[in-house]
Amino acid sequence: MSGSDSSERPRDGAWNSDPSEAELVARLKRYDESAIRQVYRLHADGIYRFALYQLGDTALAEDITGEVFTRMMEAIGGYTYRGTPITAWLYRIARNLIVDHQRRGNRIRPLEDADPDLVVSDNPVDLAERRLTWDELSAMLNRLTEEQRQVVILKFIENLDNREIAEIVGKTEGSVKALQHRALRSLRRLLERGGARHG
Amino acid sequence: MAELDALLDRCLAARAEGQSLEECLRGLDPDLRQELRPMLLLAEALRQAPRPALSAGAAAAQERALLAQAARLRPPPARPRAQPWNPFAILRSWRLGLVPALTLFFLAASLVLIGGAGAMVSSARPDDALYSFKLSWEQAQLLVATNDTQRARVYLQIAQNRLDEIERLGRDGQPIPAEQLLQLKLAANQVIALTATLPAHDAIPILRELSALLNYENILLTRFLATLPPPERATVELALQDTEASRIAVTRTLQDRIDQQVPNPPSPSPSPPTPSTSDPTPPSERVSPAAQSIGQTAPDALTRPDDAASLTPAPLATTDAAPSSSASTSEPPATGGSPSSPQPVIRLRKPSPTELPPQPIPPEPRGHSTDEGRAEHTGQSSVTNPPDPPGRGGQTIPSGDDGDGPQAGAPPSPDSAPPHTERTTSPDHRNDTADRSGAAPSARNTSGSDPGGATSGGRGIVRTTPPSADGMAVTGAPSDNAQRGGSERSGNRGRSQGGQDGNSGQNTRRRD
């Protein structure tokens, strides 16, 4: 996995140490089973979705998820908690694995199962009033850049804050905000340009 | 754009907190609201997008794998810190039994080795490589001695060692080093000096052993003298004189000590000694125990202990037979005792060679040559100067103070007869004198001129009569030495022998 899986200092400032987070990390370092279960159950789905939204393959997303936690166990001994949430560390691991997958020649075809002819409603209000289907979401995300996609997923799907997103993608919070905005604009233009078609 | 981003971010935050879209856009510019509204709705739509989750099976499998991995990575429980090696911990281990056993084994082995080495060293001769160790060992023994008694014993052993060395050298036909003789003399003198401060019960046994040693030395040197070439004779002859002097000193000292132990009842007048029923020796031939003891050491050399009974108590060697030509017999003045009064027979223990501790030569002893002056008694009853019983002349009490009367300090006994001592003037006569039962006096004191009566030098070995009173018997020098001496001594002394004839009435030793 490229990149460092160890905790990094946040670009926008030091993290405030969370006692509960610190204690969790300490337990993980002792390979405490309860701490391991807690972390896995808390973040496994998000990691899975993060991988699924980028890879478009459930099996691959499962593999990535498992590998993320495996690497977490391998690296937890040298991990030093400096205030960065462990969530960010896990997503970073996942992101690196995904990038490595792409570098191995595996194109990421996010949401490749999505119907290319699917027309998503061009009415955002309409979109907002109903839940996007998986296909619609996939279609939307496929139109974004990788960084935009990651930011959008992390921001709007996983509900992470900008600081964590910045830690994950290795950018500043301002960059993260900008990416979010650009992603939303892109999606809006895509929707207005292409428009969703109601079948 | 930046403004739009800021507004978008603020509105997204407001929407995340639950604000309605209208509330977030309220107060904004219509263009901004028109720009922001769709993005906020898309954001809203994305938040409401399906959230697929990891399948239960996959999740469980992954969780199990994760826990298994944690178990593998989990460090083992900390082991108790290895304690530093504690030698005493071994004592608490079950192997404890081996430790003392091994310790004892090695101690025992060490003692055996030391003992063996000591045995080897003790037999070293002056020309041996281990001789220096032998001398060192003797010194070490002196150092560990804690009192005068022990030191006296050590010096006695030293003297015995020197005597043994002399004997071996002489037996091998080698010249006898003057150094050995000197060392022997000095050791003997040291014994005499030390015993002077000892209580009688400690001093007497030591003096007896020393007396026996000196007697034996006398015998040896006399024997060797005959075989030595003239150039070497002078040394031995001088040594014989020294030995005689020492014998006299020892005899006198011993006499003194004996008197301290067994006070001599006053005897008014000299009277013929009452024959002891248990003493087969003719009264005239009886030797007072003390006197017997004095010169008895060498007798053992000439007579075996079992021959004691056959020894004829030699008449007291007259003191005039004092160191006639060679060693003067230091017969203890037969002090005290009226001849008529039964005297306890003091049996001197045979001087075993090993009993005499080797030692460096001590200074000249006291009274070394005092006996020399008593040569006046040569031929007379040795110690005491009482009127000699008729026929007594020539008997010499093997004491140190020949002719001085009983002993120093002791009132002269009117008829202090020289202690009955048996002497053999020579080994040859030793055999004769081995007849304690009363071999002809003539068998002893071949020369008749041996005042000291003790052994060696042909003076004859002073023998004690069979124990009568207290059973103390003098044992002479090693019996094998009794075989030596040779006849050449026979003519050297003659004191005792000669005197014996005149001592018919002096069977008991008088002491004051």
Side-chain angles (χ1 to χ4, degrees), chain A residues 30-31 33 36-37 40-41 44-45 48-49 52-53 62 65-66 69-70 73-74 124-125 127-128 130-134 137 140 152 156-157 159 162 177 180-181 184-185 187-188 191, chain B residues 1 4-9 12 34-55 58-63 66-67 69-71 73-75:
Chain A
R30 295 192 299 268
Y31 304 100
E33 289 189 1
I36 294 172
R37 289 194 182 92
Y40 179 81
R41 293 174 184 179
D45 291 338
Y48 171 72
R49 285 190 290 272
L52 180 61
Y53 286 142
E62 288 177 357
T65 302
F69 288 96
T70 297
M73 293 300 297
E74 293 174 352
V125 176
L127 293 174
R130 62 181 179 85
R131 294 173 63 86
L132 291 171
T133 64
W134 168 251
L137 182 58
M140 294 171 63
V152 167
F156 302 111
I157 300 175
N159 296 318
N162 291 338
K177 292 177 183 177
Q180 292 173 12
H181 301 161
L184 289 174
R185 286 194 202 94
L187 286 175
R188 178 191 170 194
L191 288 174
Chain B
M1 185 63 70
L4 185 61
D5 290 340
L7 288 173
L8 178 59
D9 189 64
L12 289 172
Q34 183 180 2
E35 192 70 22
L36 287 176
R37 182 183 296 279
M39 289 190 294
L40 291 173
L41 290 174
L42 282 169
E44 189 65 24
L46 289 171
R47 283 194 181 98
Q48 295 177 3
R51 284 179 167 77
L54 198 60
S55 66
Q62 289 184 2
E63 186 173 326
L66 201 61
L67 294 176
Q69 181 185 9
L73 296 174
R74 188 178 301 115

Side-chain angles (χ1 to χ4, degrees), chain B residues 244-256 259 294 317-320 322 328-336 367 370-378 380-385 396-410 419 451-452 509 512:
Chain B
E244 182 61 25
S246 298
R247 287 176 54 191
I248 294 173
V250 169
T251 301
R252 183 176 53 184
T253 305
L254 188 56
Q255 183 68 64
D256 292 342
D259 288 345
I294 301 307
T318 55
T319 51
D320 58 359
S328 57
T329 354
S330 342
E331 300 294 321
T335 59
T370 53
D371 302 316
E372 303 291 345
R374 299 199 189 101
E376 66 191 65
H377 293 284
T378 300
Q380 301 174 359
S381 67
S382 57
V383 181
T384 60
N385 254 351
T396 306
I397 299 174
S399 77
D401 56 345
D402 291 339
D404 270 355
Q407 31 275 342
R509 176 166 170 237
D512 296 327

Side-chain angles (χ1 to χ4, degrees), chain B residues 228-251:
Chain B
L228 294 174
E232 299 176 9
R233 283 194 177 190
T235 302
V236 176
E237 287 176 353
L238 289 174
L240 282 170
Q241 294 178 11
D242 294 337
T243 301
E244 182 61 25
S246 298
R247 287 176 54 191
I248 294 173
V250 169
T251 301

Side-chain angles (χ1 to χ4, degrees), chain B residues 238-320:
Chain B
L238 289 174
L240 282 170
Q241 294 178 11
D242 294 337
T243 301
E244 182 61 25
S246 298
R247 287 176 54 191
I248 294 173
V250 169
T251 301
R252 183 176 53 184
T253 305
L254 188 56
Q255 183 68 64
D256 292 342
R257 291 316 189 97
I258 292 174
D259 288 345
Q260 294 172 10
Q261 287 276 65
V262 185
N264 190 22
S267 174
S269 61
S271 60
T274 304
S276 167
T277 56
S278 63
D279 183 356
T281 310
S284 61
E285 298 176 347
R286 287 201 193 119
V287 179
S288 71
Q292 291 173 357
S293 65
I294 301 307
Q296 195 58 30
T297 55
D300 246 6
L302 306 179
T303 69
R304 291 171 292 282
D306 55 349
D307 290 334
S310 64
L311 291 177
T312 302
L316 296 177
T318 55
T319 51
D320 58 359

